[in-house]
Amino acid sequence: MDTTVLVTIVYCFFAGIFVAPPTEFVSAGITIQNLLSGWLGSEDFNFIYYHIKRTSATVIAHSFIPLGYYLSLGLFAPEQTLFSLDQVEAGWLLFLVISLLLPGLSCICVLYWHRKKWDYHPLARQLSLLGDANSTWRSVASSINVEFRRVDKFTSGTPSRLVAVTDSWIIKTSTYSVNVAHQNDIHLSLSDSEEHALSYQNQMAVQYLNIQVSPVESGLKPFSIRLNSLELGDLKEKLQAPIRNARNIVIHQSLSDRFLQAFTETIQQNSVFIPPPEMELEQCIGCMQKPSNVKLQRVCDAPPDDLPQPTGAAPACVQCFCRPMWCLECMGKWFASRQDQLRPDTWLSGKSPCPTCRATFCLLDVCKILGRD
Ligand SMILES: [Zn+2]
Ligand SMILES: [Zn+2]
Ligand SMILES: [Zn+2]
């Protein structure tokens, strides 16, 4: 094979790894983020400044790729005489001029962004549109940094391709840019989905969803986020707005999401619990987010405890006297966690101990509290 072609192929391979490192290289540390980690600082602690620096460094580093190609070719394919400027072909000379201009232009661009401590960086300009009249982009940045430090945020992906949702913000990072939107200012819609028969990570069919995030009032450009359909349940928990599915895309849910849906539908048909007027209902002690809205009452017609049980049968249901302390979702998750994990088909007919007093209950005994959703 011609040396020029060989050098080109090898160079493209390494440049490809450098621009879009596969997961193995991200963990092995051969990425801009890892090479420059000292200068970039901590993503968890100073999210916005980290990404301002990361995108700037990436623009500069990637602009050297054509020049690197020219130098490698000159070194490993000497028959092209690329290092003797009086003998080199006009085409190659043009390539050399462009590959020298690119790093120059990108350095000028980053220097411009860096003026007044990054006031001119595209991300800083974006943030200045997100604050109110009295706030600067720096105050918006520090609000995002504070929320990103919390452990209860949703994240998916690697630093250069990250989707993060905090209490008030939805953020997507890409190689050269970062998109930010406020949760109160967005419409979300499921734009399309892709299915892949095999994922190299776990040998199962995977579905990726593309969700369009459209800012309403801030005037920012819409962007789309992409994630595994199994992550949708966690994402929804963190989102304040619903995701519209106007195209009726069928979403592959995780096993626990599918069970939770079946659990909720079953409970809707059960009898309801009417709380006595003096009963005070507190927040669910599982998630601390929703009001407790279920009560365990033995309403199924299983034989009472004092009758002899057929051997090997599940324990009979027992009346639970606990006050309502759980929401429907947390009760569903608890119930699923007490079932045989290898036999999901038996879960709906299974039994579980009450999370507080250990009294056995079945799905029929879970009663929604009247007037609490
Ligand atoms: Zn709960
Ligand atoms: Zn109980
Ligand atoms: Zn029961």
Side-chain angles (χ1 to χ4, degrees):
M1 202 193 295
D2 190 342
T3 348
T4 312
V5 178
L6 189 67
V7 174
T8 307
I9 292 172
V10 173
Y11 191 80
C12 285
F13 175 73
F14 283 108
I17 287 179
F18 182 56
V19 172
T23 324
E24 291 76 13
F25 282 81
V26 172
S27 36
I30 314 168
T31 60
I32 292 183
Q33 290 84 288
N34 292 327
L35 296 173
L36 295 178
S37 59
W39 177 68
L40 291 174
S42 153
E43 185 189 30
D44 283 331
F45 195 73
N46 237 334
F47 182 82
I48 292 295
Y49 292 98
Y50 175 92
H51 282 284
I52 281 182
K53 290 179 180 172
R54 179 191 62 81
T55 47
S56 306
T58 308
V59 166
I60 294 182
H62 288 183
S63 71
F64 278 95
I65 290 176
L67 187 62
Y69 173 63
Y70 189 91
L71 295 179
S72 327
L73 208 55
L75 211 60
F76 297 109
E79 69 275 14
Q80 299 277 1
T81 62
L82 293 184
F83 290 161
S84 340
L85 291 183
D86 46 343
Q87 292 169 36
V88 73
E89 285 173 36
W92 280 117
L93 204 58
L94 182 67
F95 185 89
L96 176 64
V97 171
I98 294 173
S99 25
L100 286 171
L101 276 177
L102 264 178
L105 289 176
S106 65
C107 286
I108 293 173
C109 171
V110 169
L111 279 176
Y112 170 72
W113 289 350
H114 186 254
R115 284 175 65 206
K116 299 193 184 163
K117 295 188 179 162
W118 299 112
D119 269 4
Y120 291 83
H121 191 279
L123 178 54
R125 292 173 166 227
Q126 210 186 122
L127 296 188
S128 64
L129 293 174
L130 286 166
D132 51 37
N134 307 321
S135 58
T136 63
W137 75 267
R138 285 174 213 281
S139 48
V140 179
S142 74
S143 133
I144 296 172
N145 289 344
V146 166
E147 288 193 8
F148 194 80
R149 280 174 217 154
R150 294 185 190 147
V151 283
D152 63 343
K153 61 184 181 283
F154 167 87
T155 55
S156 159
T158 56
S160 57
R161 270 168 281 167
L162 183 79
V163 173
V165 182
T166 67
D167 294 336
S168 350
W169 305 96
I170 174 161
I171 304 157
K172 174 201 165 182
T173 70
S174 19
T175 312
Y176 306 113
S177 64
V178 178
N179 294 94
V180 182
H182 197 280
Q183 285 230 38
N184 294 337
D185 177 47
I186 44 170
H187 284 319
L188 297 163
S189 57
L190 199 53
S191 51
D192 66 273
S193 72
E194 304 146 38
E195 274 165 47
H196 300 276
L198 280 180
S199 150
Y200 67 96
Q201 282 169 325
N202 59 13
Q203 311 295 311
M204 271 170 57
V206 286
Q207 182 189 31
Y208 284 97
L209 302 173
N210 289 312
I211 298 168
Q212 180 84 3
V213 182
S214 314
V216 187
E217 280 173 16
S218 59
L220 290 171
K221 268 193 236 138
F223 56 95
S224 83
I225 55 176
R226 181 172 184 273
L227 56 128
N228 191 314
S229 62
L230 302 184
E231 296 172 301
L232 191 66
D234 291 338
L235 174 75
K236 277 184 175 166
E237 266 180 31
K238 208 63 210 163
L239 285 174
Q240 291 162 20
I243 303 175
R244 282 174 302 172
N245 187 357
R247 295 180 51 207
N248 291 320
I249 293 167
V250 179
I251 300 164
H252 301 185
Q253 293 173 299
S254 65
L255 182 60
S256 63
D257 287 342
R258 280 212 305 275
F259 173 75
L260 216 54
Q261 198 176 355
F263 182 83
T264 313
E265 281 163 11
T266 313
I267 304 306
Q268 303 297 350
Q269 289 154 23
N270 285 356
S271 47
V272 291
F273 172 75
I274 301 167
E278 72 279 3
M279 181 180 269
E280 275 189 35
L281 293 169
E282 291 149 24
Q283 291 291 95
C284 161
I285 61 170
C287 59
M288 296 294 196
Q289 306 262 328
K290 297 183 186 130
S292 45
N293 58 4
V294 286
K295 164 96 179 93
L296 299 178
Q297 292 197 108
R298 190 175 156 254
V299 287
C300 66
D301 52 5
D305 251 357
D306 43 347
L307 290 184
Q309 295 287 310
T311 43
C317 293
V318 181
Q319 177 59 43
C320 149
F321 294 99
C322 305
R323 62 192 165 84
M325 279 186 276
W326 302 87
C327 71
L328 188 57
E329 284 76 30
C330 291
M331 192 57 94
K333 286 178 189 165
W334 164 260
F335 191 90
S337 75
R338 306 298 299 192
Q339 306 305 311
D340 181 350
Q341 298 303 306
L342 299 175
R343 301 273 323 270
D345 51 313
T346 63
W347 289 9
L348 284 175
S349 56
K351 295 195 176 190
S352 154
C354 160
T356 323
C357 72
R358 309 278 145 178
T360 304
F361 70 98
C362 66
L363 235 58
L364 288 169
D365 306 329
V366 184
C367 303
K368 288 205 73 179
I369 297 175
L370 191 71
R372 299 292 293 257
D373 284 310

